[in-house]
Amino acid sequence: MSKQIHVGSVPVGGGADIAIQSMCNTRTEDVAATVAQIHALEAAGCEIVRVAIPDQAAAEAVDQIKAQISIPLIADIHFDYKLALECVRQGIDKIRINPGNIGSQEKVRAVADACRSEGIPIRIGVNGGSLEKELRAKYGGVTAEALVESAMGHVALLNKFDFDDICISVKCSDVPLTMAAYRLLAERTDYPLHLGVTEAGTPSMGIIKSAMGIGGLLCLGIGDTIRVTLTADPVEEIYAAKKILKAAGLRK
C-alpha cells in the first residue's frame, strides 16, 4: 500500500478512494471564469482541481479563487520557482513541479522549505516529452526505465532537503510505455501515484487511451489519483474518469 498524503482535505494514497482530478483551461488570472469552471467541475464530481501558473498575475489570483471554491487547488508550475513560492503564500493546497526544470538545487530547496513549513505536498510530474536529454541519451530515447530514473532522481533531491510529502506521475502519450513506467515505479517506491496519459488526442481517442492506460493500471492495484486528459471541456474529463473507475470496480 502506498503512503498517504493530504491535498487540502482530500486524502491521496494509503488505501483512500481514488481521487478524480481535472485541470482548468481558463486563464487563471480571470478569477470569475476560473471559479465558474471549477464549480462546474465540482458539480460533475471533480475532487481536486489544478490551474496553470505561467506568471505572477496567475499566482496572485490563487487566494481569490480558493475563497470561492470548496475543493483543493493545485498550482501547475514550470521553470520559475518564485511562482511556486508565491502560490504557497497565497494558500495553495499542492504544487506540481518538475524539479528538473525549476533550476538550481537552491531553488528546489526554497520550494521544498516553503511547502514543508505550510504542510503542502509536491507532485513530481515527469513527462516523456520533456525528459532530460542525458536520460534520453543513456536509454536511447524515452523508456520506462528513463522515466522512472528521472522521477526517482527528483525524489532523491527533495528528500535531500528533508521533504517527503510527495506524489509522483510518469506520463507520456504511448499507452504501453506509460503502463510499463508506472508498473516499474510502483515496484521502486511507495509514494502515491498520479495516473494519466498525456497528449491523448481527440476526445474519443483520448477516452480509449485513458481507459486502457489508467484503467489497466487501476485493475493491477496501481494508482491513487487520476486525471483523464481530453482536448474538450474539462467537465468531460470527470465523466470519463467516473466511468473508468466504475469499469475498474472502484466506484458504484
Side-chain angles (χ1 to χ4, degrees), residues 4-169:
Q4 187 170 94
I5 65 171
H6 282 82
V7 183
S9 61
V10 177
V12 174
D17 290 343
I18 306 296
I20 296 174
Q21 300 194 26
S22 185
M23 183 170 181
C24 290
N25 59 12
T26 56
R27 291 180 62 85
T28 304
E29 65 269 26
D30 185 344
V31 173
T34 301
V35 168
Q37 188 168 79
I38 293 173
H39 287 166
L41 286 165
E42 186 177 5
C46 183
E47 293 156 331
I48 302 172
V49 67
R50 180 160 47 113
V51 292
I53 307 293
D55 52 35
Q56 187 70 16
E60 291 177 354
V62 164
D63 66 336
Q64 299 174 62
I65 295 167
K66 274 190 58 67
Q68 301 176 63
I69 66 173
S70 57
I71 60 176
L73 189 67
I74 301 174
D76 197 49
I77 307 290
H78 291 274
F79 306 111
D80 190 349
Y81 81 105
K82 292 181 181 178
L83 296 177
L85 300 180
E86 181 61 33
C87 286
V88 170
R89 286 191 288 269
Q90 296 279 335
I92 202 73
D93 295 300
K94 183 180 177 183
I95 298 284
R96 183 270 182 185
I97 62 170
N98 181 335
N101 67 27
I102 287 294
S104 68
Q105 289 196 15
E106 285 309 306
K107 293 177 180 178
V108 176
R109 181 201 291 270
V111 175
D113 288 347
C115 287
R116 188 190 324 101
S117 68
E118 299 299 327
I120 296 170
I122 292 174
R123 171 159 71 95
I124 294 170
V126 174
N127 191 308
S130 58
L131 186 66
E132 295 96 318
K133 290 180 180 178
E134 56 269 27
L135 289 177
R136 286 175 181 266
K138 177 180 177 179
Y139 290 97
V142 179
T143 66
E145 292 79 8
L147 291 166
V148 171
E149 183 171 327
S150 176
M152 297 310 296
H154 298 330
V155 167
L157 183 57
L158 289 176
N159 287 167
K160 176 181 177 180
F161 301 133
D162 195 29
F163 191 89
D164 197 51
D165 200 5
I166 296 168
C167 182
I168 310 174
S169 64

Side-chain angles (χ1 to χ4, degrees), residues 195-197 209-219 226-228 244:
L195 303 186
V197 178
K209 291 175 75 170
S210 294
M212 290 176 63
I214 296 172
L217 288 164
L218 291 173
C219 287
I226 67 173
R227 185 219 169 173
V228 176
I244 290 170

Side-chain angles (χ1 to χ4, degrees), residues 162-193:
D162 195 29
F163 191 89
D164 197 51
D165 200 5
I166 296 168
C167 182
I168 310 174
S169 64
V170 282
K171 300 181 181 181
C172 61
S173 59
D174 182 308
V175 173
L177 175 55
T178 297
M179 294 183 70
Y182 275 108
R183 290 176 68 179
L184 183 59
L185 188 60
E187 293 172 1
R188 299 272 182 90
T189 185
D190 61 354
Y191 287 112
L193 303 181

